[in-house]
Amino acid sequence: MRIARVLTSAALLLGAAASPAVADSSPSASPSGDGAAPTSAGTSFRTATEIQQGQQATANASTGDYLYWQFPAEEQQRPTVRATVKLPSSPRSSAQTWQLDVYDGLRRRQACQYGAQTRTAAQDASSVNLSCTLRTVRAWAEPWADDPLPGTYYIRLTVVGVGTADLGQPVNAEVRVDSKDIGGSAAVDGSLAEPLVPGIATRSEKPSDSDTDTAALSKLRPDASGWWSDRWVWTGVGGILAALAGIGGYALTRGSGRPSRVPPGA
């Protein structure tokens, strides 16, 4: 009975401690609530349209244009970028190949962990869907590594294979970014002094002694994750289980605790 009580207590403590970690692993797909989703896209890194995770951004463009958006990502997130290109109903001369690329704040192209980054739409297709799931964003990495780091990320959508006669035809693009919180399993010992948020925006006001705009940091900054990580939860769970295992082992090996009888005449 004593061992059963010990095991029951261990199960209850494990469930109570693990519940926050399970809750933190849910995808973050809620809109930011900062306003309506953008309805246009930039044409370069410097003019990339800012979007928040969970927003459905749209843009009207022409076949052959380069479309750019940017979004923030923080450590321990695994962003997934999805794009849908609605093609014109007018006859096309050939199939079209579209490509979705993602770059970090240093404009380094990031590899997709999985997803259809490049797809070819048939000549009579009405749309094409693309997706790119990045590797988990790390809090710190070696300077020579190209690991995803906290900060701004750029999305570039364009056609890479198209007939000359189809260039300039109108298309509609939809882009959305969602992230899954990976949690403490992706935590590292270290962090960046500042997130990779380049000076891509310009201040509206001008300094009194200059007639040129000055570069400013982007308004899209990832939220600080803080010092808390669910690694603390599992470390605590491990300590509790170790203590309970020690108590259970002692209960099994110590015996009844009663002194043995001494035979008469001994």
Side-chain angles (χ1 to χ4, degrees):
M1 294 296 292
R2 185 177 301 166
I3 298 175
R5 287 197 299 269
V6 170
L7 294 177
T8 302
S9 301
L12 292 175
L13 289 172
L14 178 61
S19 57
V22 174
D24 289 342
S25 63
S26 59
S28 58
S30 59
S32 63
D34 293 336
T39 56
S40 63
T43 57
S44 67
F45 285 103
R46 291 183 59 84
T47 61
T49 299
E50 299 176 348
I51 63 174
Q52 294 287 353
Q53 294 189 26
Q55 283 186 326
Q56 181 82 20
T58 59
N60 292 320
S62 299
T63 303
D65 289 345
Y66 284 84
L67 306 179
Y68 288 82
W69 295 267
Q70 58 172 305
F71 67 94
E74 62 179 276
E75 61 188 78
Q76 302 179 19
Q77 286 187 340
R78 182 182 294 166
T80 296
V81 182
R82 295 181 177 87
T84 299
V85 181
K86 297 180 180 180
L87 303 173
S89 57
S90 57
R92 299 189 297 273
S93 62
S94 61
Q96 295 183 6
T97 301
W98 288 79
Q99 182 167 305
L100 176 70
D101 296 306
V102 182
Y103 298 82
D104 65 8
L106 298 179
R107 300 185 185 178
R108 302 177 302 183
R109 185 175 179 271
Q110 291 295 314
C112 299
Q113 192 173 28
Y114 53 86
Q117 185 180 5
T118 303
R119 274 190 170 176
T120 299
Q123 185 175 353
D124 57 348
S126 60
S127 64
V128 57
N129 298 317
L130 305 102
S131 66
C132 175
T133 298
L134 300 178
R135 295 167 294 168
T136 303
V137 177
R138 302 182 48 162
W140 179 86
E142 294 288 349
W144 47 263
D146 62 349
D147 295 327
L149 295 170
T152 298
Y153 283 79
Y154 297 96
I155 304 169
R156 185 178 72 181
L157 177 65
T158 189
V159 63
V160 294
V162 61
T164 305
D166 297 329
L167 289 173
Q169 289 188 340
V171 294
N172 178 267
E174 298 177 354
V175 171
R176 182 183 177 94
V177 182
D178 294 290
S179 286
K180 180 178 181 180
D181 189 356
I182 302 303
S185 60
V188 296
D189 295 329
S191 62
L192 297 179
E194 292 289 341
L196 300 182
V197 182
I200 55 175
T202 55
R203 297 191 180 97
S204 57
E205 69 274 5
K206 297 180 180 180
S208 56
D209 56 347
S210 175
D211 294 333
T212 59
D213 293 334
T214 56
L217 291 180
S218 172
K219 294 175 290 184
L220 293 181
R221 285 181 173 269
D223 297 330
S225 296
W227 60 272
W228 173 255
S229 169
D230 58 11
R231 287 196 302 177
W232 291 97
V233 174
W234 294 110
T235 301
V237 169
I240 294 172
L241 291 179
L244 293 175
I247 296 173
Y250 175 74
L252 287 172
T253 58
R254 77 185 183 93
S256 62
R258 297 177 181 176
S260 58
R261 289 188 177 181
V262 180

